[in-house]
Amino acid sequence: MIDAGTEFGPGTAYGNALIKCGETQKRIGTADRELIQTSALNFLTPLRNFIEGDYKTIAKERKLLQNKRLDLDAAKTRLKKAKAAETRNSQLNSARLEGDNIMVNFSYMLNFLHVKWLKIWAEEVTKSEQELRITQSEFDRQAEITRLLLEGISSTHAHHLRCLNDFVEAQMTYYAQCYQYMLDLQKQLGSFPSNYLSNNNQTSVTPVPSVLPNAIGSSAMASTSGLVITSPSNLSDLKECSGSRKARVLYDYDAANSTELSLLADEVITVFSVVGMDSDWLMGERGNQKGKVPITYLELLN
């Protein structure tokens, strides 16, 4: 935009407007880069370090704790089964001993086998109890490690919350800067038509497009006979008189603040001058709405 404006010429209204737009875009680009740098330094980098460091460690320890819990449940199940089998064999051996008076020889063989089985299940119970103690100890140790890591997260959360607040504040600053840059640009562009007229005040009438369809003919020219094209002399006359005039809006205009009045192209409003007001502005009135309007956006009516 700046290069194009330079080619058109900084002295022309359009060339100057292009340069102003280009400079504003450069300022917005600078603010955008500052936002990216601030966000990366104050928010993204700490968050990435946490995810790739502490968070991975916590996730690993929690998974290890889950595996220890599964090992503990399996050890408890094996011990429970071993004790149940030992109890059944003990009860079966007692029943066989009660029948020793009937079948002495057979009972002797069964008694020998049951004693052997009781020893086997007793060893299984002892082994299962020892395994349970080991797995319980490992589970308790891993649970303590995981608890300490999770307790340390509270301070990390507070730090990242501050980082998040800094990120939001950086965004607020960025958007406020962009809004102010565009607001300044809008005011600068709004003043260009007036400057252009003042630089070319030898022309008392604002140029009217000459590309009118032939089909309109004289009827179109007659329909515009009630209009007076805004010129510096007309505006001076209006400011000197105390009355009000009707004016047609040439372009859309968005009010910059509560003291100004937004305009829509082709609508008709009432305008009048106020003592002490800037020479580039008039007071506009539309129904119950009232506010300042730029004179370069108006076309006075008879």
Side-chain angles (χ1 to χ4, degrees), residues 219-235:
S219 60
M221 298 301 294
S223 64
T224 60
S225 62
L227 299 178
V228 176
I229 305 302
T230 304
S231 66
S233 60
N234 290 333
L235 296 172

Side-chain angles (χ1 to χ4, degrees), residues 158-258:
H159 172 67
H160 286 290
L161 182 59
R162 289 192 297 270
C163 292
L164 184 59
N165 287 332
D166 293 341
F167 173 67
V168 173
E169 289 179 0
Q171 280 190 312
M172 291 175 59
T173 302
Y174 167 72
Y175 289 120
Q177 287 178 340
C178 292
Y179 174 77
Q180 187 60 46
Y181 294 157
M182 298 308 296
L183 190 63
D184 295 341
L185 177 62
Q186 184 187 42
K187 290 182 178 180
Q188 290 174 356
L189 294 180
S191 65
F192 282 156
S194 176
N195 293 338
Y196 181 75
L197 285 174
S198 63
N199 292 334
N200 301 275
N201 53 12
Q202 68 273 15
T203 304
S204 61
V205 178
T206 302
V208 179
S210 60
V211 192
L212 294 177
N214 294 331
I216 296 178
S218 60
S219 60
M221 298 301 294
S223 64
T224 60
S225 62
L227 299 178
V228 176
I229 305 302
T230 304
S231 66
S233 60
N234 290 333
L235 296 172
S236 299
D237 294 342
L238 177 61
K239 284 188 171 292
E240 291 176 359
C241 70
S242 58
S244 61
R245 294 278 295 275
K246 294 290 185 180
R248 185 173 68 86
V249 178
L250 298 176
Y251 324 103
D252 291 345
Y253 176 75
D254 294 329
N257 51 55
S258 59

Side-chain angles (χ1 to χ4, degrees), residues 26-283:
K26 288 178 64 177
R27 295 171 69 186
I28 292 176
T30 302
D32 185 59
R33 288 190 294 271
E34 291 177 355
L35 173 64
I36 294 174
Q37 293 175 357
T38 302
S39 301
L41 180 64
N42 296 334
F43 178 69
L44 295 179
T45 300
L47 181 62
R48 186 182 298 111
N49 292 338
F50 170 73
I51 293 175
E52 295 179 354
D54 295 342
Y55 182 78
K56 283 187 176 180
T57 301
I58 293 172
K60 179 181 177 181
E61 296 298 333
R62 291 184 66 178
K63 185 176 182 180
L64 186 58
L65 177 63
Q66 185 178 6
N67 292 335
K68 295 296 183 183
R69 180 56 185 267
L70 294 175
D71 293 341
L72 179 61
D73 292 341
K76 289 180 178 180
T77 302
R78 282 194 294 270
L79 178 60
K80 184 177 179 181
K81 289 181 178 180
K83 287 185 175 182
E86 183 184 30
T87 302
R88 286 196 302 270
N89 279 277
S90 177
Q91 292 174 353
L92 182 60
N93 185 47
S94 299
R96 293 300 181 184
L97 290 175
E98 291 175 358
D100 282 349
N101 295 328
I102 302 173
M103 302 177 65
V104 178
N105 294 330
F106 185 69
S107 177
Y108 176 78
M109 292 296 297
L110 288 178
N111 186 42
F112 175 78
L113 292 175
H114 282 299
V115 170
K116 193 171 184 63
W117 277 108
L118 285 174
K119 289 182 180 180
I120 294 175
W121 284 113
E123 292 176 357
E124 184 66 23
V125 169
T126 303
K127 182 179 178 181
S128 298
E129 289 177 346
Q130 183 179 2
E131 184 180 359
L132 178 61
R133 286 192 296 270
I134 294 174
T135 54
Q136 182 69 55
S137 176
E138 292 178 352
F139 173 79
D140 293 340
R141 182 171 58 84
Q142 186 61 38
E144 181 66 16
I145 294 174
T146 307
R147 184 183 65 82
L148 293 176
L149 288 174
L150 292 176
E151 285 180 354
I153 284 233
S154 58
S155 61
T156 305
H157 283 178
H159 172 67
H160 286 290
L161 182 59
R162 289 192 297 270
C163 292
L164 184 59
N165 287 332
D166 293 341
F167 173 67
V168 173
E169 289 179 0
Q171 280 190 312
M172 291 175 59
T173 302
Y174 167 72
Y175 289 120
Q177 287 178 340
C178 292
Y179 174 77
Q180 187 60 46
Y181 294 157
M182 298 308 296
L183 190 63
D184 295 341
L185 177 62
Q186 184 187 42
K187 290 182 178 180
Q188 290 174 356
L189 294 180
S191 65
F192 282 156
S194 176
N195 293 338
Y196 181 75
L197 285 174
S198 63
N199 292 334
N200 301 275
N201 53 12
Q202 68 273 15
T203 304
S204 61
V205 178
T206 302
V208 179
S210 60
V211 192
L212 294 177
N214 294 331
I216 296 178
S218 60
S219 60
M221 298 301 294
S223 64
T224 60
S225 62
L227 299 178
V228 176
I229 305 302
T230 304
S231 66
S233 60
N234 290 333
L235 296 172
S236 299
D237 294 342
L238 177 61
K239 284 188 171 292
E240 291 176 359
C241 70
S242 58
S244 61
R245 294 278 295 275
K246 294 290 185 180
R248 185 173 68 86
V249 178
L250 298 176
Y251 324 103
D252 291 345
Y253 176 75
D254 294 329
N257 51 55
S258 59
T259 63
E260 299 180 7
L261 180 66
S262 296
L263 303 175
L264 295 175
D266 295 329
E267 70 171 332
V268 177
I269 63 172
T270 302
V271 295
F272 55 91
S273 62
V274 176
V275 178
M277 183 176 290
D278 192 300
S279 61
D280 292 332
W281 297 82
L282 288 173
M283 185 61 68

